[in-house]
Amino acid sequence: MQTHISTTPFGRRSLTLGMISSQVTAKTAPADATVHKWQVFADIKEVRIALGATDRALAILNALLSFHPETAFYGDSALIVWPSNEQLINRANGMSPATLRRHLANLVDCGLVIRRDSPNGKRFARKGQGGEVEEAYGFDLSPIVARAAEFKDLAEALKAEKKAYRRVKERLTICRRDIIKMIDAGIEESVPGNWGRVLQSYQTIVARLPRTAPRQVLETIVAELEDLWSQIRDVLESFVKSTNMSANESQSERHIQNSKPDSKIDSESRLGIKEEASGSAGEASNVQSLPRRELPLSIVLDACSNVVWVVKSGEIRTWRDYLAAAELVRPVLGISPSAWDDAKAAMGEREAAITIGAIYQRQDQIKSPGGYLRSLTDRAKAAKFSVWPMVMALVRAKLDATKASGAAEETVATAERVMRTEKRLEISDALRQTMGKWDRDK
């Protein structure tokens, strides 16, 4: 081999401190070190992004390794290969010469190979009489041996990080699922507690979750969710213990009966919900005379403006947005999933959502929103309920409040537009009486 090893690149390429650092590192390889070149290459692929290597650069490195006849690399062996650009292009899947040069420079910058350029920049080797290589100019692969342990440690650390990230994502998914289902169970089984506030706490935590987050951020959010999970779990377990589940069969049967919707209606009625489904002939004729046209979304939002508060964007532009907002409002009001499903089945999804919005608008005046919704659902099943008088009563109340306080003319114009809508639809006297009844119920 040559007595003087080239340390500077040929031509206009400048020498950098990074190149010198790579050359210094290559000299630190122990003479007795032995590595498997393809195993080291597998580690390099794992940590490619951390090293700053491109995927094309690794394709070239793969080609360079294939030009060395030995699979095992030793610390004291000559590891210089001298393929031409044409040979490299053929083994690197036919990339262009400009692309080849650019990614060869990337390999040098990353310290994966070292340039050993000849005086004229050509790559070649001179052999002695015995066929042994005496001088070689090309690419030195000694960093593969010198940095093999570093690549292995980086690959193992990256695998551990990926495993930890996957586990925290699994914890996040399971914790979110458990919290939502436990909140639904608490509402469904009438467990005492402010479940609306619990849901708001959950939504506040989840709202801080970015679309793509590092593991440390996920760990913080999961820790808060697990704390909330523990609190909810304690409440549910305490309630189960207090009901003495080990009692006799009759007690268990009575507990199950009390959890059914029919019994819940009775308990909610005792809380002060006024029964409106009287089923009188006057009310039946009134419902028959209600407008058959669907309510415009703009009027619904004028009447039930509080629904916008629960929307993260602060805007509701379509019925789909409104239905999604109603799904968020339902647990805040403490309405059980079964009551919500019954309402959608009896009224239709859109009218049930409008009803939820109206109840949310008057939540400070309704003692038990769940019982009230079940009452309206029963009326809807008997074809004695429509959302029109409910919405119109809210609009009229807003109009009266606006006129009394001398608020902005824009709101007055909106309310007057609603009144023109009433006139255009020829609302009956019976409907106006029902609207007045809603005003009196407040």
Side-chain angles (χ1 to χ4, degrees), residues 140-210:
D140 190 350
L141 302 177
S142 56
I144 299 297
V145 180
R147 301 180 64 186
E150 175 191 347
F151 298 146
K152 184 177 180 180
D153 292 342
L154 281 175
E156 290 178 352
L158 184 60
K159 290 178 181 177
E161 179 63 24
K162 288 181 178 179
K163 186 177 181 180
Y165 187 84
R166 185 171 61 252
R167 285 184 174 178
V168 73
K169 288 283 288 185
E170 291 173 354
R171 287 168 56 200
L172 177 65
T173 301
I174 293 174
C175 197
R176 292 181 66 176
R177 181 186 67 197
D178 287 353
I179 290 176
I180 289 297
K181 292 195 174 184
M182 286 194 298
I183 291 175
D184 283 342
I187 296 173
E188 181 75 19
E189 299 292 338
S190 300
V191 178
N194 192 340
W195 296 108
R197 180 169 297 177
V198 173
L199 182 63
Q200 288 178 347
S201 299
Y202 165 76
Q203 291 173 340
T204 300
I205 297 173
V206 174
R208 303 195 341 258
L209 187 65

Side-chain angles (χ1 to χ4, degrees), residues 345-359:
M347 305 176 188
E349 189 174 27
R350 184 174 295 186
E351 289 209 358
I354 296 173
T355 303
I356 287 287
I359 294 175

Side-chain angles (χ1 to χ4, degrees), residues 16 27 33 50 110 127 129 149 200 217 261 280 319 340 346 406 440:
T16 64
K27 294 179 181 179
C110 294
K127 298 182 180 180
Q129 292 182 354
Q200 288 178 347
V217 174
S280 64
W319 277 112
W340 175 232
R440 292 192 300 274

Side-chain angles (χ1 to χ4, degrees), residues 4 12 23 54 58 74 85 142 145 165 181 266 274 296 314 321 358 360 400 432-433 439:
H4 179 77
R12 291 179 295 179
Q23 294 167 10
T54 63
L58 292 190
Y74 302 97
N85 282 357
S142 56
V145 180
Y165 187 84
K181 292 195 174 184
D266 295 338
K274 182 176 181 180
D321 296 341
Y360 188 60
D400 294 341
R432 297 184 185 280
Q433 293 175 1
D439 289 333

Side-chain angles (χ1 to χ4, degrees), residues 113-153:
V113 298
I114 299 173
R115 285 185 182 274
R116 303 297 187 189
D117 288 347
S118 66
N120 62 0
K122 301 295 183 180
R123 302 180 200 123
F124 62 90
R126 290 194 182 99
K127 298 182 180 180
Q129 292 182 354
E132 295 182 356
V133 176
E134 293 182 347
E135 290 181 326
Y137 297 98
F139 295 103
D140 190 350
L141 302 177
S142 56
I144 299 297
V145 180
R147 301 180 64 186
E150 175 191 347
F151 298 146
K152 184 177 180 180
D153 292 342

Side-chain angles (χ1 to χ4, degrees), residues 75-271:
D76 59 350
S77 61
L79 300 177
I80 298 178
V81 293
W82 51 90
S84 65
N85 282 357
E86 184 178 355
Q87 290 173 319
L88 277 175
I89 287 173
N90 289 336
R91 293 201 187 183
N93 304 322
M95 64 180 63
S96 68
T99 302
L100 176 68
R101 290 191 294 270
R102 185 168 67 253
H103 293 289
L104 277 172
N106 178 254
L107 286 177
V108 174
D109 293 339
C110 294
L112 297 175
V113 298
I114 299 173
R115 285 185 182 274
R116 303 297 187 189
D117 288 347
S118 66
N120 62 0
K122 301 295 183 180
R123 302 180 200 123
F124 62 90
R126 290 194 182 99
K127 298 182 180 180
Q129 292 182 354
E132 295 182 356
V133 176
E134 293 182 347
E135 290 181 326
Y137 297 98
F139 295 103
D140 190 350
L141 302 177
S142 56
I144 299 297
V145 180
R147 301 180 64 186
E150 175 191 347
F151 298 146
K152 184 177 180 180
D153 292 342
L154 281 175
E156 290 178 352
L158 184 60
K159 290 178 181 177
E161 179 63 24
K162 288 181 178 179
K163 186 177 181 180
Y165 187 84
R166 185 171 61 252
R167 285 184 174 178
V168 73
K169 288 283 288 185
E170 291 173 354
R171 287 168 56 200
L172 177 65
T173 301
I174 293 174
C175 197
R176 292 181 66 176
R177 181 186 67 197
D178 287 353
I179 290 176
I180 289 297
K181 292 195 174 184
M182 286 194 298
I183 291 175
D184 283 342
I187 296 173
E188 181 75 19
E189 299 292 338
S190 300
V191 178
N194 192 340
W195 296 108
R197 180 169 297 177
V198 173
L199 182 63
Q200 288 178 347
S201 299
Y202 165 76
Q203 291 173 340
T204 300
I205 297 173
V206 174
R208 303 195 341 258
L209 187 65
R211 185 178 297 273
T212 55
R215 180 180 58 84
Q216 292 77 7
V217 174
L218 294 181
E219 290 280 3
T220 301
I221 293 177
V222 168
E224 295 182 22
L225 288 175
E226 287 179 343
D227 182 62
L228 181 62
W229 175 91
S230 178
Q231 297 178 31
I232 300 173
R233 186 74 179 181
D234 289 344
V235 171
L236 295 180
E237 288 181 354
S238 299
F239 180 76
V240 170
K241 292 177 182 178
S242 67
T243 55
N244 191 13
M245 298 300 291
S246 62
N248 57 39
E249 183 178 354
S250 63
Q251 290 175 324
S252 299
E253 183 179 354
R254 184 163 59 252
H255 171 70
I256 295 173
Q257 178 66 27
N258 287 340
S259 298
K260 290 185 177 180
D262 293 340
S263 176
K264 191 170 183 178
I265 293 176
D266 295 338
S267 63
E268 288 169 337
S269 298
R270 287 194 296 270
L271 291 176

